[in-house]
Amino acid sequence: MTSIDSPTPDRADADHYRRQLQTVAANATLALFILDERQRCTFLNPAAERLTGFTLDELRGMPLHDYIHHTRPDGSPYPLEECPIDRAFPQNMREQGEEIFVHRDGHFYPVAFTASPIRDGERTVGTIIEARDITDELRAREEGALRARESALIAAVGTTLTQGGSLRDVLHGCTDATVEHMDAAIARIWTLNPAEQVLELQANSGPASSMETTARRAPLDSRLGRLARGGQPVLTHDFASDFDAVDPEGARREGVVAFAGYPLSVDGEVVGVMTLFARHPLPERTLDTLDLIADGIALAIARVRADEARERLVREVETQRSRLAAVFQQAPAFIATLRGPQHVFELANPPYEQLVGHRKVVGLPVIEALSEVAGQGFIDLLDNVYHNAEPFIGNEMPILLQRSPGAEMERHFLNFVYQPLVDADGSVSGILVHGVDITEQMEARRMVEEQAIELEAQKEELQQQASHLEDVQIELEASNEELQKANEELRNARDVAARESAHLAAIIEHAPVGIVIAEAPGGHIVAGNRRVEEIFRHPVLQSAAIEGYSEWVAYHPDGRRVEGHEYPLARVFGTGEVAGPDDYLYQRGDGTRAWVRITGAPIRDVNGELTGGLVVIDDIDAEKRAADEREQLIADLEVGRARLQQIFTESPAVMALYAGPEHVVTMVNPAWERIVGKTGAVGRPFREAFPEFRESGLFELLDHTYETGEPYVDPEVNVPIDRWGTGILEDSYWNLVWRPLAGEGPQGRDILVHAVDVTGQVRARKEVELKAEELARAARALEASNRELDQFAYVASHDLKAPLRGISNLSTWIEDDLGDAATPEVREQLAMLRGRAVRMEALIDGILQYSRAGRVRDTTDRVDTGALARDVVDLLAPPPGARITVQPGMPVIVTERLPLQQVLMNLIGNAIKYAGGGEARVEVSATRAADGAWEFAVRDHGPGIAPEYHERIFTIFQTLESRDVVESTGIGLSIVKKLVEGRGGRVWVDSAEGGGSTFRFLWPAQSASTEPSVTDSGD
């Protein structure tokens, strides 16, 4: 017999220690590299292979730097002498940091590394490098930094918008904040000029803002204008095809490569465009960031535009008022306006003041300013006009006036109109007095009439004295001279009357309102002034009767067309009463429409008989449209103000305003009171409202922010806070921003506060970190336990199989020693003994495999399952006559190769074994399951399995046939179950006794190729 020497204890310990190191390196999540004295690679673990894409065989003996660290991300070479990792060996000290590695496929990725020298006593013999991919960590850092910049941007823009100032100053503050917080080369804001249909540059900020635009005005048919008209934001890195409002040469000089454009709109109406240029690619969420500030900027533009429009309206109204005042003052007729039931003089023009002797009348009631008119009937006329809203027209009305104190009463004759002044609600607020003094004309006419009477008497006398012609010749001649003189005076009186009539006609013709006069009873229009033609833009319609009024085209405010009989002039003739004022949308002669206000009044003679009708037409189109625009502007401003107020009041973040060096709380939003829990803080200094912050350092930080004007931002400031005055200090965390305002408030500099309570998030993160550390400790303990279990299983299987091999060898030796003396029965018993030993050894191997199943994980790889199944068939070496078919189209998946091979080997091996060996017919197939996993099936034509055993067969050590009939350990299917379920899958059998069996299992795969297996074939 040949003896086998056992290894010495030192060697066994070394082997054991080496295996432990190999196990640690193979299962480590960190990438490990070992370099020799020449900085050549001598070892890298599986994690390093996955990290770099290279295998140990490819890098063994090679300079590691030349394969994974040779080039910078900008494409320039990375010399070895500049590499911090390489300094660990010559400087004999540990190096740590972050670097950019190059993957085998050429892409760059960030890593955190530790390079440590390997020492053998006092001598440095190599370098060990630990590395891990920190792509996700950097992405998380960048995401956090981006959110912080967004919060700071919103706060800065909000501060700018609330400070007021000119539109250019406000928008320039917004572009400054955008450049600062979005790392932009240029930020610009253009506003829409709707009158000229162009975009005008209002604000231009940034380190590259000197890059000139080709024009400071961009028409709407330009590419920048189309961005405004389209109303959709744009983000592009194809700068060559960018907007024509940018200087291409300047852009190349400044290194600008990216552009973002965002329309600024209010209620769907574009008011401007915001553009952004950067020297680096802009992230996809740039447009989302711009969306956070676009509404506020658009509202600011709309608000300023509304203010400008309102100022224009005020100037236009003032201009119109000045024009009317000039007309009022320069009119040849006397004009005055009276307000209220007491008829208080509001205005009086120079002719009126001349009429009453230049007495002070403005501000006094008529009865007080002109006390002599009491009892003459004028006060009653005024009262009637005011209360009944009916005008009064007086012709040749006498009035006694005392034009100076103590003087005698002077008799004057007047032609005048008392016209009620009606407000928009239909109520009378005053009376317009308009007339002319015809005293001189009346005196001239009286003199002519008296002289005519005298001449008639003289004529009769002359006829009676005809017989005495000679006696009275001298008297007759004198009378003839007097008669001629009287005729001359009559002609002069008629000339005066004609001039006065022309004077009145001129007043009507040049009146600021349209005037139309018609005769009663038919309504024949006899006159109309020039202003009527200006308003209607067609000649005065000389209608012969009321029926002709239907030729006019006008519409009521509700859109109905005005019928001829509905016009105020027609209603005056129908009722004899005042009609209107009515507002109509009139179809003018040039085809346009304009709003007019028409008031009709009857004209009566001294007997009260209706002799005609008068209408006054006022052009109110500009006034009405201005009123509509003003109401819309006011409504828009109110919407904007309400929206800003809503943002402040409904913001989930804590917002407040601190004023002056004492940081007095002057304003807080509801979230501040709800979350901070400091009721009654408004009006109190910060130190008094938050005494619990005394030891936190926040008082000093707030003072520094106030003194320097520099904003303070801390995403996780930790402070104790006493909410609701309970005296209990809660540990809290806040994402805090203090933003000093640029201007000086009434109490000094103001500081805007924006804070978000992140206590829950911080505690949750710390809890997750704590749980992660606990899980890591548990994982390390489990790994150590698994290693010990593996070692125990290995040692136990070795120690158990050694006696079995001895028994097998001993039975062989006994059979050899017996030689021919061994009977067939003895030989059979010895063969059975050796078979039992082999079965026991297989059972031990099965137990070892079962203990490892589901615990040991291999690296994933691209696996052609069709080729793998064929490899399994080749390894099993089925007996001649057996037919194993692998279905075409088996998938190519990314998974662990060895566990899947072990599952297929067990199932295909069982199928061959139980289906008759050389007569076996086995089919292997795969289909995609609903959840994305792959369902594999191994079907045989064997005796089948009764349903009551479908679960039992997957239990360890369970077989349906005696081990003497079919050799089996009863472990194979339990290993299959453990391997499949350990990877999130499921295994089951479809079978009936006598009908064959189909074993199926679901195998999750990380990803799958749509290409079929390249080894598809038949049997």
Side-chain angles (χ1 to χ4, degrees):
M1 297 180 60
T2 303
S3 63
I4 301 175
D5 295 333
S6 300
T8 64
D10 290 343
R11 179 179 175 186
D13 291 342
D15 289 344
H16 174 65
Y17 183 71
R18 178 177 56 78
R19 286 194 299 273
Q20 285 185 325
L21 289 178
Q22 290 176 341
T23 302
V24 169
N27 290 277
T29 57
L30 289 177
L32 301 177
F33 307 83
I34 297 179
L35 310 182
D36 61 13
E37 294 175 320
R38 296 181 301 158
Q39 298 298 283
R40 307 281 178 171
C41 182
T42 61
F43 173 81
L44 62 156
N45 68 342
E49 291 181 334
R50 292 192 297 271
L51 181 69
T52 64
F54 293 97
T55 64
L56 175 59
D57 291 337
E58 292 172 322
L59 296 183
R60 183 180 282 113
M62 300 297 177
L64 185 65
H65 180 84
D66 293 347
Y67 283 81
I68 68 170
H69 205 204
H70 51 79
T71 305
R72 292 187 171 95
D74 61 2
S76 62
Y78 199 149
L80 178 64
E81 56 270 16
E82 296 179 13
C83 176
I85 300 176
D86 185 67
R87 289 198 292 267
F89 181 85
Q91 295 182 5
N92 195 22
M93 61 185 297
R94 175 177 295 178
E95 293 284 344
Q96 290 181 314
E98 295 180 358
E99 280 291 326
I100 304 295
F101 279 4
V102 186
H103 196 268
R104 180 176 183 173
D105 62 10
H107 79 267
F108 293 86
Y109 57 99
V111 298
F113 73 88
T114 301
S116 306
I118 302 175
R119 301 184 182 89
D120 185 2
E122 298 297 322
R123 177 168 166 265
T124 303
V125 297
T127 306
I128 182 170
I129 303 169
E130 304 166 43
R132 59 185 175 86
D133 191 333
I134 58 173
T135 301
D136 292 338
E137 294 179 19
L138 293 182
R139 187 178 296 113
R141 290 184 210 165
E142 292 172 358
E143 182 72 13
L146 180 59
R147 292 189 180 278
R149 288 199 300 271
E150 287 180 351
S151 297
L153 173 62
I154 294 171
V157 170
T159 300
T160 300
L161 295 178
T162 56
Q163 286 176 342
S166 70
L167 179 61
R168 286 185 179 273
D169 291 342
V170 170
L171 297 185
H172 195 74
C174 294
T175 54
D176 284 346
T178 304
V179 168
E180 177 184 355
H181 298 291
M182 294 190 69
D183 192 21
I186 307 172
R188 289 175 177 153
I189 295 178
W190 304 72
T191 58
L192 177 64
N193 183 333
E196 301 182 25
Q197 291 294 287
V198 296
L199 291 170
E200 298 174 337
L201 182 62
Q202 298 290 347
N204 182 21
S205 301
S209 60
S210 60
M211 185 177 75
E212 292 294 329
T213 59
T214 57
R216 301 185 71 82
R217 291 160 59 90
L220 290 186
D221 58 357
S222 66
R223 279 180 282 183
L224 185 62
R226 288 196 293 273
L227 172 62
R229 287 189 290 123
Q232 296 297 322
V234 171
L235 175 65
T236 178
H237 299 103
D238 185 10
F239 201 77
S241 62
D242 220 316
F243 291 80
D244 52 11
V246 178
D247 174 20
E249 189 61 34
R252 284 191 292 271
R253 183 177 63 253
E254 294 293 343
V256 173
V257 299
F259 170 85
Y262 203 98
L264 305 173
S265 61
V266 177
D267 295 331
E269 183 178 353
V270 174
V271 297
V273 173
M274 185 173 188
T275 57
L276 194 70
F277 304 85
R279 297 189 175 105
H280 54 81
L282 292 169
E284 288 297 326
R285 64 182 293 162
T286 298
L287 297 180
D288 295 334
T289 304
L290 292 178
D291 180 62
L292 298 174
I293 61 175
D295 285 350
I297 296 175
L299 287 172
I301 295 173
R303 183 184 67 245
V304 173
R305 288 287 187 255
D307 291 340
E308 293 173 351
R310 186 165 53 251
E311 291 174 2
R312 285 196 300 271
L313 288 173
V314 171
R315 288 195 297 270
E316 291 175 2
V317 170
E318 181 60 27
T319 300
Q320 187 68 15
R321 189 198 65 79
S322 299
R323 291 175 180 172
L324 291 175
V327 171
F328 180 81
Q329 293 295 325
Q330 298 173 17
F334 65 79
I335 302 173
T337 57
L338 310 175
R339 287 291 175 187
Q342 299 301 317
H343 317 306
V344 177
F345 279 97
E346 187 178 55
L347 294 171
N349 69 343
Y352 193 98
E353 293 176 347
Q354 182 180 0
L355 174 67
V356 299
H358 298 283
R359 283 180 282 179
K360 180 182 180 303
V361 295
V362 175
L364 299 175
V366 172
I367 192 64
E368 181 178 346
L370 306 175
S371 58
E372 66 271 23
V373 302
Q376 297 186 44
F378 291 95
I379 301 301
D380 295 335
L381 291 174
L382 290 172
D383 289 340
N384 185 64
V385 171
Y386 184 88
H387 294 295
N388 297 325
E390 293 182 356
F392 175 81
I393 299 175
N395 292 313
E396 301 180 354
M397 294 281 292
I399 185 172
L400 295 176
L401 293 173
Q402 188 180 31
R403 302 183 66 192
S404 61
E408 294 182 356
M409 292 287 191
E410 295 181 12
R411 186 179 185 87
H412 288 260
F413 293 88
L414 308 176
N415 285 346
F416 65 90
V417 175
Y418 285 164
Q419 177 68 41
L421 300 177
V422 182
D423 290 338
D425 59 358
S427 61
V428 176
S429 61
I431 297 173
L432 171 67
V433 180
H434 182 281
V436 291
D437 187 349
I438 60 171
T439 302
E440 293 180 0
Q441 294 89 320
M442 291 294 293
E443 287 295 329
R445 189 175 70 183
R446 183 183 61 78
M447 291 175 63
V448 169
E449 290 174 351
E450 290 177 354
Q451 290 175 358
I453 293 172
E454 290 177 0
L455 287 174
E456 185 65 26
Q458 291 174 0
K459 181 180 178 181
E460 293 176 358
E461 185 177 358
L462 286 173
Q463 289 176 349
Q464 293 174 5
Q465 297 176 358
S467 58
H468 306 287
L469 180 60
E470 292 179 351
D471 296 336
V472 295
Q473 181 69 39
I474 297 174
E475 184 179 355
L476 180 60
E477 290 177 353
S479 297
N480 187 45
E481 290 176 0
E482 291 178 0
L483 179 60
Q484 291 177 354
K485 183 178 179 181
N487 287 335
E488 182 65 25
E489 290 178 353
L490 179 60
R491 285 195 297 270
N492 291 337
R494 288 175 179 173
D495 291 341
V496 170
R499 286 197 302 271
E500 289 299 328
S501 178
H503 187 194
L504 181 60
I507 292 174
I508 294 176
E509 180 67 17
H510 296 285
V513 295
I515 298 175
V516 174
I517 299 174
E519 292 180 340
H524 172 60
I525 294 177
V526 296
N529 66 349
R530 176 177 52 83
R531 183 59 180 151
V532 174
E533 297 183 359
E534 292 176 354
I535 295 174
F536 288 163
R537 298 185 182 178
H538 61 64
V540 176
L541 297 178
Q542 302 293 333
S543 299
I546 294 175
E547 290 74 14
Y549 297 173
S550 60
E551 297 179 19
W552 304 337
V553 180
Y555 300 91
H556 291 286
D558 61 4
R560 293 182 300 107
R561 179 167 175 173
V562 181
E563 300 295 334
H565 65 274
E566 293 182 302
Y567 285 102
L569 187 55
R571 285 155 42 205
V572 165
F573 289 120
T575 64
E577 304 292 336
V578 173
D582 293 340
D583 293 348
Y584 301 121
L585 184 61
Y586 189 83
Q587 182 80 30
R588 298 187 290 195
D590 60 359
T592 61
R593 295 180 179 181
W595 285 98
V596 297
R597 179 170 293 154
I598 303 177
T599 304
I603 299 175
R604 302 180 186 276
D605 60 14
V606 292
N607 298 320
E609 294 295 329
L610 182 66
T611 62
L614 168 74
V615 290
V616 177
I617 304 166
D618 193 6
D619 183 356
I620 62 169
D621 190 64
E623 173 188 344
K624 193 169 185 64
R625 296 187 189 277
D628 292 342
E629 291 178 3
R630 183 166 57 253
E631 291 176 2
Q632 184 61 43
L633 287 174
I634 293 172
D636 292 343
L637 288 173
E638 180 60 25
V639 170
R641 186 201 64 76
R643 186 166 185 178
L644 291 175
Q645 182 67 24
Q646 182 183 26
I647 292 173
F648 182 78
T649 57
E650 296 184 8
S651 171
V654 169
M655 299 181 70
L657 201 66
Y658 300 159
E662 297 298 321
H663 320 305
V664 177
V665 181
T666 59
M667 184 187 299
V668 298
N669 69 341
W672 196 93
E673 296 182 340
R674 185 176 64 255
I675 298 174
V676 175
K678 295 286 186 178
T679 58
V682 175
R684 299 167 60 194
F686 180 76
R687 284 176 165 82
E688 181 181 330
F690 296 93
E692 63 269 28
F693 290 175
R694 184 175 294 105
E695 304 299 327
S696 67
L698 285 183
F699 293 163
E700 293 74 17
L701 289 172
L702 187 55
D703 290 340
H704 181 266
T705 299
Y706 178 85
E707 293 165 0
T708 64
E710 298 175 356
Y712 173 74
V713 179
D714 190 336
E716 276 188 21
V717 61
N718 179 214
V719 292
I721 187 168
D722 178 9
R723 303 181 201 259
W724 313 114
T726 61
I728 301 174
L729 294 180
E730 301 179 21
D731 193 34
S732 63
Y733 293 85
W734 300 83
N735 184 332
L736 177 62
V737 177
W738 285 335
R739 180 77 182 186
L741 302 185
E744 294 289 332
Q747 299 176 338
R749 188 195 302 271
D750 290 340
I751 296 178
L752 177 66
V753 183
H754 183 281
V756 178
D757 188 353
V758 294
T759 305
Q761 297 92 309
V762 173
R763 288 177 179 171
R765 193 194 70 231
K766 290 186 175 182
E767 186 175 349
V768 169
E769 291 172 352
L770 182 61
K771 292 293 184 182
E773 179 60 30
E774 293 176 356
L775 289 174
R777 287 198 299 269
R780 291 192 294 270
L782 181 59
E783 289 178 3
S785 175
N786 286 339
R787 287 195 297 271
E788 292 175 0
L789 182 58
D790 283 341
Q791 183 67 21
F792 170 76
Y794 175 78
V795 173
S797 66
H798 180 273
D799 293 345
L800 289 174
K801 286 192 286 186
L804 293 175
R805 287 193 293 271
I807 293 172
S808 180
N809 291 337
L810 181 60
S811 67
T812 302
W813 296 338
I814 292 174
E815 186 173 1
D816 290 343
D817 290 344
L818 289 176
D820 295 338
T823 64
E825 183 180 356
V826 170
R827 292 185 184 277
E828 182 182 352
Q829 295 295 332
L830 291 174
M832 185 181 297
L833 179 62
R834 288 193 294 273
R836 293 293 191 273
V838 171
R839 182 186 299 168
M840 188 64 183
E841 189 171 355
L843 180 62
I844 292 171
D845 287 337
I847 294 174
L848 180 61
Q849 292 178 10
Y850 183 80
S851 68
R852 291 177 174 174
R855 291 190 296 105
V856 179
R857 294 282 180 174
D858 288 341
T859 58
T860 59
D861 198 1
R862 190 171 183 270
V863 177
D864 184 337
T865 58
L868 181 64
R870 298 192 190 301
D871 290 343
V872 168
V873 173
D874 291 342
L875 290 173
L876 291 173
R883 180 168 178 164
I884 295 88
T885 303
V886 178
Q887 176 191 14
M890 295 285 284
V892 178
I893 62 177
V894 177
T895 187
E896 299 172 81
R897 175 183 293 272
L898 187 59
L900 182 57
Q901 181 182 31
Q902 195 170 358
V903 170
L904 290 173
M905 185 171 288
N906 273 293
L907 295 179
I908 296 174
N910 281 354
I912 295 173
K913 183 190 303 181
Y914 290 100
E919 299 179 356
R921 298 291 183 269
V922 181
E923 299 172 4
V924 181
S925 62
T927 57
R928 174 71 85 174
D931 59 357
W934 284 94
E935 180 182 314
F936 291 87
V938 178
R939 182 172 180 268
D940 64 58
H941 296 75
I945 303 172
E948 59 267 26
Y949 298 114
H950 285 185
E951 295 294 335
R952 175 182 170 187
I953 58 176
F954 291 104
T955 306
I956 191 170
F957 302 135
Q958 297 296 318
T959 61
L960 301 182
E961 293 283 355
S962 170
R963 289 180 174 83
D964 292 331
V965 176
V966 178
E967 183 62 38
S968 173
T969 62
I971 296 179
L973 288 179
S974 61
I975 292 176
V976 168
K977 180 179 175 68
K978 194 170 184 181
L979 286 172
V980 171
E981 292 181 350
R983 281 147 184 84
R986 182 171 68 91
V987 61
W988 71 97
V989 63
D990 294 332
S991 180
E993 195 168 5
S997 302
T998 301
F999 282 84
R1000 304 180 187 274
F1001 65 93
L1002 288 175
W1003 192 266
Q1006 295 178 2
S1007 62
S1009 170
T1010 58
E1011 302 173 358
S1013 167
V1014 297
T1015 60
D1016 284 351
S1017 61
D1019 298 344

